[in-house]
Amino acid sequence: MMDKVSASTRGKVILFGEHAVVYGKMALVASISMGVKAQVEESGAADKSELVKKAIEVAGGDENIQLRIESELPIGSGLGSSAAVSACVIKAVRQYLGEPVDNDELFQLTMECERLAHGNPSGVDPACVVYGGLIAFIKGQPFERLQIKNKVKFLLVNSGQPSESTMQMVEKVADNSRKNKIIEEIGEIAILAKEEIVRERDITELINRNGLLLEELGVVGLKAKKLSQKLRLMGAGVKITGAGGLTTGSGMMIVVAPDFAKIKELLDNSQIDYFETSIGES
Ligand code: PMV
């Protein structure tokens, strides 16, 4: 056994199709440069979250194993924090045990952890965290890797940490009597968006259509709605990314625009956190 090992994973953004993906529609998802690092070490944290305990268990590690985990991903904000932490811990523990894990097994084991965090996850988060890049994902099917030559820049704007879990938001959608129609439309947009992204065309309008449908679906809170409206008036494409949230915040929002200068100025003046990232890197 090695005595000091480390692993890393990246977070993700859902560009199109969250929630509809639970109902068998396509989601487009991309890994981002921010992520998680885990190190097995003597002085690691003895206190562990349920998720970390589960990840150690599915990796076949001893429950007393000590880990130092560093994450750049805000928890529960739609950037795949739980999948990235689980996958990273599983990788580190299996390396420590001298039995490195391949991607297919890592996906299955991360799914087991996601079931603890999310109930009945579609698998979109583990797929992106484990395999990386830009992918078109349909639940239960082999996913498709998309290639683009030029990076697509966008802002991730923090609308506040949601108080609701992904599971709660998925249940909320299930209770929406108009969900079938909305989900159909989101599914159609994802198919169009896939073509536009591959052809490297502008996706501002499609981002807005998907964003507004998520508002209709009832997963976007007032604060995020108001901010989206303001930014749309400035010519931006805006949608939440991930499960969303209602009472406190709705997590991260994707903002695309030909020019970010004015948008950044507004966000700075309103003291709203954001960072610039891009897709198109594997
Ligand atoms: O956990 P989040 O916030 O990245 O959202 C996951 C995406 C959902 O479609 C809402 C749920 C799922 O399991 O696909």
Side-chain angles (χ1 to χ4, degrees), residues 12 14 18-19 21-22 78 118 121-122 124-125 166 170 242-243:
K12 65 99 211 349
I14 300 179
E18 49 274 269
H19 286 291
V21 68
V22 175
H118 290 180
S122 65
V124 66
D125 284 21
T166 293
V170 169

Side-chain angles (χ1 to χ4, degrees), residues 94-273:
R94 286 288 294 267
Q95 266 187 62
Y96 176 72
L97 296 174
E99 299 163 17
V101 61
D102 68 22
N103 279 349
D104 292 345
E105 192 190 359
L106 182 60
F107 175 75
Q108 294 305 335
L109 297 177
T110 307
M111 271 301 272
E112 280 187 45
C113 299
E114 283 288 277
R115 283 187 200 105
L116 178 84
H118 290 180
N120 182 23
S122 65
V124 66
D125 284 21
C128 195
V129 162
V130 171
Y131 298 99
L134 173 60
I135 61 179
F137 177 92
I138 300 176
K139 188 177 171 178
Q141 293 188 16
F143 59 78
E144 190 184 343
R145 249 175 214 292
L146 308 179
Q147 302 290 346
I148 51 174
K149 279 192 230 82
N150 298 304
K151 287 187 209 163
V152 181
K153 271 195 192 166
F154 57 93
L155 299 183
L156 280 173
V157 176
N158 194 348
S159 77
Q161 190 176 341
S163 322
E164 300 85 353
S165 65
T166 293
M167 202 176 349
Q168 283 169 322
M169 294 313 291
V170 169
E171 281 164 7
K172 228 172 238 314
V173 170
D175 290 341
N176 184 327
S177 60
R178 290 181 302 128
K179 69 169 181 299
N180 292 348
K181 187 176 164 286
I182 301 171
I183 278 161
E184 272 313 309
E185 285 183 45
I186 294 179
E188 282 161 22
I189 290 171
I191 293 170
L192 289 175
K194 185 181 148 196
E195 291 304 309
E196 297 300 273
I197 288 174
V198 171
R199 290 183 184 166
E200 311 206 9
R201 292 209 196 115
D202 182 32
I203 54 168
T204 307
E205 144 108 33
L206 290 173
I207 285 277
N208 274 333
R209 278 170 62 192
N210 192 157
L212 288 164
L213 285 164
L214 286 167
E215 293 182 20
E216 227 180 299
L217 202 53
V219 296
V220 186
L222 201 61
K223 189 175 160 202
K225 275 189 200 166
K226 280 189 175 161
L227 182 58
S228 304
Q229 206 175 19
K230 260 193 206 163
L231 297 175
R232 284 178 189 135
L233 285 172
M234 296 170 77
V238 188
K239 71 175 269 293
I240 59 146
T241 180
L246 294 171
T247 13
T248 47
S250 308
M252 288 292 173
M253 303 195 313
I254 294 178
V255 176
V256 291
D259 176 20
F260 292 122
K262 289 233 159 57
I263 291 171
K264 284 182 179 172
E265 202 179 299
L266 178 126
L267 296 170
D268 286 335
N269 289 341
S270 317
Q271 296 186 321
I272 295 169
D273 289 341

